[in-house]
């Protein structure tokens, strides 16, 4: 459970509700079912017209996953680097075969399994790099589709908010001659859709797109790191060089130093 | 027939009509022939001034094709990969000549036919890759012209909506001295063009541009995959390497495994 | 004479005039010389401050050329490809010297003349490619300057429209105390400049920029195609390979097939 | 203490307060706690939903660091170049070992320490360049995350300002029938949130993002310069070539000339 | 003195003043010292917070230089090309030493001096190209900082115009209950800051940024041309090849032809 996402969302909704309650006791003024249906429905309709249904579903599920904690973080990256350096020593001593046992330990991660299989098959460093980079690129492209759909929904929601307000305005203005007193409340209702559109975009779609993109970029970064490591393994580089190259991906504060770790043991 | 595109479009129009009917029984208030002509006509006029007529026609036809189902999907990609791997074994055993028979099976696809002809002619891997990449690039550029026209129409329609509203406002404000009571209904009519412009952009032009772009990107992806496969065939790489490289383009869930498939038979 | 550009422009102006006449018999309401001078003059002034005068003149002339028909189209590209393939056979048989006669046939096209001179001088494929690509790049950059000026004028015109409306509003609001009845007509006049700015941008500057950019991109495409062809000639590649590579630039529907053409004769 | 940042901030706030005092003695009109909480809270809430909490904290701390003076400036760059040239002579004469002593002098800078360690380990120029470029790239990417968060907050703050104004408008318009006289003051309060949103964005978030980005770009430039220098050291290039290549990074006015410096001594 | 920049600026200001005088005799209505101070001061304050003071000063000086004539134009480029071709013949005949005398003729241009020094030192073509490209890149990056600051000021000025209008509106609306008649004049004053902001952006900051960017791009183009020429000199290419490659940078109309020039003498 990603506490901060949840907290941020609750805080955002709370601020919105709280600031309304400070201004008026009449919360119902902001609850208007047809307005909600128009904005949310229009946004979804435009999205389903413009995007394959399978990707839209993934994007909507993606909103939910922003409440789950991030899988790849600093510690994971550090462990990843550590494992590759360890495998460097292993390969130097005993060749690629012992990696078959290691593969079982990471069986839940198809990217690592695929990489180890390439190493065991005995491809050259350039072949391993090319094939694994292709996996990393294509995975990133595939996952960014959801992010782009959410981002485009973040632009569509305020547009349908404005459409709703225009409809409300036209109805209201047309009736103005008969009953000028209704102008104020009519405009108030008409502005609700704009408010919904902006809120939806700013509290749901745009932040979800940002968070998913950030995660994809971290995953991409991790993939690039692993690709580089596996290519160096395939090139049979010294474990020391592998460690230096791997550390170049990390924040100096969390760099890996196998000499020091061995001393500390 | 692409059900979701159709459904999305109907849902969008339905929400629009429904939310109007909830607000006023007077649907005619939103039907204003001169407004429709101004917005749609102005958008088309500006587009015909700025773009070659042949491409505008293709773009308008493109809107219609968004209602047809997508040609290249997951299964197609999987079959494509399977065929290339199979051809890898074929070429390894019997050389490029049997591909001439295979070519007949894919005769409806000019890209594959062109590629097989290059293979049979006996070009090197780099020559095949360079020539086929050039086809893929140029096809993509050619097809993106329509997408860009639709996207620019999505920006032009609201601008002509605003032009219409300005015209309506000027006429209305000029007459205001004589008849202040007409202000409301006059403004209501003037706002119609803005509404049409935004609706046209958000329910027609932008989603059509998105969907066509998505399809072109998938086609491009498929072309890149085929180019890579054919270059590997021309380089006479092992079927195993071809399979690994081809799989690097696919979602792990739909990766191809010829060993497993043979076992399963 | 580019019929569609002309037709589009006339249609745009006609729709504008027609929709006004439907709303009011008073066309003069929309003709306001100081407003036109402010918007057009302000746009030109800002452009002359920000751009070299020579390029602005070229950009303004560029608007006029959008009414002339497009020089490079499908047939031209096909002929271009045909000529290069024919030259491939010629060079294979008799070397580069016969190209001197061919050069006279294309004397009106400095790009082809320059390329043939490079071939006759006897440079390598890479030298020919590098030098001709440099011509293609620099020609494109040079010509895009006009396009960018027109596009920036398309952003400047509405801004000066808004400036004019602000001036009108300030004058009108300041006088409001004395004569509240003049508010409507005053606002009507003030909105004229916004209308001019948006119309100028959407019917003149932006479409002209689009059309000129499209033509430069087609010219660029043609240059890239010729560069590739001449580099292959310099590399002494087989006419068959030249044909395959050249065809990779063309839509499958208009691909060139010298074998078929010979049979058809 | 970065005097200009502080001065600019104080001047901005002073102009704001001063121009208010010129217009009204009632400063309290612009202080409205619920409005401040809504805008600032909404911006932070949306940011915490969309970004990992660790990065948001770094971004907020980043605002504070814009008041500290810039670490890398012209003199630093000049010293850096001078040191690398000096090391060039040192390495030419005595090999890489004396660099171990030099490393102690720069012990506070992990980038230089990492580079010297690579040199002493004896990697080739390409290996040093690849590994150090990877550090420079990844450091830049890591630090730009804060910049991007601040920039996105600069877009979020006006949006929440608009949300606040919409809420105020709806409450005000709904109550308009009862008390039309309250329209003015109500609107005044509603506009406060828009004012806060724009001020926050324009005086805090956007300038802080600009300044942090500028610093990261200077740091990146310095890293690129050092990478180039260390790669040349590893390639054992002549100190003269190292000086020429290093000078190519500097403004002609501050170029380093070791011959002249030696003469001047 | 750049006549067109000056003329454009005067024309812009003249149109502005003239269109005001046509609408009202009361020019003072548009002169409002607090408004000018708020917009100009706010823009400068935000810029000093977000940018290093040294670069802001350079950017402000840059506005003044747009009134000076352009240094690098068509004739300069042609002379540049001519000189490099002439040096090509010189180097072919007598080696690099005579360039030392030539260097004195171009002593005022540090880029040429730096390049000639590299040639005389005897570096290879790739070394000369790499080092001089680095100078060209870094000079361009350094000079674009001012352009980017001016462009960002072009976005900041309207924002502070809007801030001023919001302040004016809030003060005016709050006082509306007491004196409804003051609404018009109050709004007129409030709109002044928006007018100043847009005028400043559109007549000063954006055009100055455009002109400086254009000049930097021409300078960059000239640098690229010189880099290519010097690299060819270092590679000891034939003067004929140097001429062909140099001409590839020029408009066909001003291409250099040393054979023809020799005949004409």
């Amino acid at each position: 459970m990603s506490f901060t996402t949840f907290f941020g969302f609750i805080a955002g909704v709370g601020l919105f509700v709280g600031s309304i309650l400070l201004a008026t006791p009449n919360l119902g003024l902001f609850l208007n079912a047809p307005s909600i249906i128009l904005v949310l429905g229009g946004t979804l309709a435009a999205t389903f017209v413009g995007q394959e249904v399978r990707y839209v579903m993934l994007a909507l599920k993606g909103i939910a996953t922003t409440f789950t904690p991030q899988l790849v973080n600093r510690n994971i990256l550090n462990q990843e680097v550590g494992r590759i350096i360890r495998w460097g020593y292993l390969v130097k001593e005993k060749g690629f075969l012992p990696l078959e046992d290691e593969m079982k330990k990471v069986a839940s991660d198809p990217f690592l399994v695929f990489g180890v299989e390439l190493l065991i098959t005995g491809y050259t460093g350039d072949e391993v790099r090319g094939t694994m980079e292709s996996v990393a690129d294509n995975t990133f492209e595939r996952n960014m589709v959801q992010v782009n759909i959410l981002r485009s929904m973040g632009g569509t929601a305020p547009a349908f908010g404005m459409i709703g307000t225009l409809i409300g305005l036209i109805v209201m203005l047309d009736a103005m001659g008969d009953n000028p007193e209704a102008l104020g409340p009519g405009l108030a209702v008409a502005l609700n859709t704009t408010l919904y559109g902006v809120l939806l975009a700013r509290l749901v779609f745009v932040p979800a797109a940002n968070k998913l993109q950030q995660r994809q970029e971290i995953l991409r970064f991790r993939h690039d790191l692993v690709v580089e490591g596996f290519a160096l393994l395939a090139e049979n580089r010294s474990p020391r060089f592998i460690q230096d190259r791997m550390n170049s991906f990390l924040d100096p504060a969390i760099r890996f130093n196998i000499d020091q770790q061995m001393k500390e043991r």
Side-chain angles (χ1 to χ4, degrees), chain A:
Chain A
M1 176 82 215
S2 171
F3 181 69
T4 56
T5 305
F6 186 72
F7 176 80
F9 184 73
I10 292 300
V13 172
L15 280 164
F16 172 63
V17 174
S19 69
I20 290 172
L21 287 176
L22 279 173
T24 177
N26 182 9
L27 249 182
L29 185 59
F30 292 90
L31 290 176
N32 187 273
S35 299
I36 294 171
I37 291 169
L38 179 67
V39 174
L40 203 56
T43 304
L44 286 173
T47 307
F48 277 113
V49 175
Q51 313 280 350
E52 293 301 319
V53 68
R54 201 167 67 81
Y55 296 124
V56 182
M57 286 307 177
L58 282 174
L60 295 178
K61 270 184 216 152
I63 296 176
T65 66
T66 59
F67 289 103
T68 62
Q70 194 184 8
L71 288 177
V72 181
N73 59 27
R74 295 183 129 219
N75 293 331
I76 298 289
L77 288 181
N78 200 256
Q79 286 171 28
E80 209 82 64
V81 164
R83 182 163 50 215
I84 290 171
I85 296 171
R86 205 154 34 74
W87 287 4
Y89 283 101
L90 208 64
V91 167
K92 204 70 194 173
E93 280 175 39
K94 310 187 186 160
F96 289 122
L97 279 183
L99 290 184
E100 214 147 345
D101 294 330
E102 295 288 326
M103 191 167 72
K104 281 163 201 156
K105 295 182 198 157
V106 296
S108 63
D109 183 334
F111 189 68
L112 290 178
V113 170
F114 189 72
V116 173
E117 280 173 353
L118 295 180
L119 285 180
I120 293 172
T121 310
Y123 293 124
T124 67
D126 278 347
E127 287 169 351
V128 168
R129 195 189 306 272
T131 305
M132 290 186 79
E133 253 172 20
S134 167
V135 176
D137 286 354
N138 291 315
T139 304
F140 186 71
E141 291 299 321
R142 236 189 331 267
N143 291 339
M144 283 302 287
V145 170
Q146 305 166 45
V147 174
N148 293 332
I149 288 176
L150 285 176
R151 214 173 282 291
S152 107
M153 289 173 95
T156 308
F160 275 91
M162 184 187 152
I163 287 172
T165 298
L166 281 169
I167 293 175
L169 273 175
I170 292 173
V171 170
M172 183 198 76
L173 289 166
D174 184 60
M176 204 175 78
D178 312 332
N179 179 14
E181 303 228 329
L183 187 85
L187 194 53
V189 172
L191 285 177
N192 258 334
T193 55
T194 294
L195 179 63
Y196 295 159
V198 181
L199 268 180
L200 259 181
R202 289 292 168 174
L203 273 185
V204 180
F205 296 133
V206 173
N210 283 346
K211 186 150 250 171
L212 288 184
Q213 179 168 352
Q214 207 179 57
R215 289 188 180 175
Q216 291 311 324
E217 281 169 359
I218 292 173
L219 189 65
R220 174 68 198 260
F221 177 78
R222 187 218 152 200
H223 281 176
D224 286 348
L225 183 155
V226 171
V227 170
E228 185 67 25
F230 276 48
L232 296 178
L233 287 175
E235 285 169 7
N236 228 327
R237 305 297 299 248
S238 78
R240 179 70 201 255
F241 183 70
I242 294 178
Q243 174 178 309
D244 283 337
R245 186 56 69 96
M246 286 297 98
N247 274 336
S248 75
F249 283 85
L250 298 180
D251 195 336
I254 61 170
R255 269 186 199 142
F256 209 82
N257 189 335
I258 205 147
D259 304 337
Q260 206 177 333
Q261 289 197 334
M262 291 196 159
K263 267 186 237 159
E264 281 167 4
R265 269 176 206 168

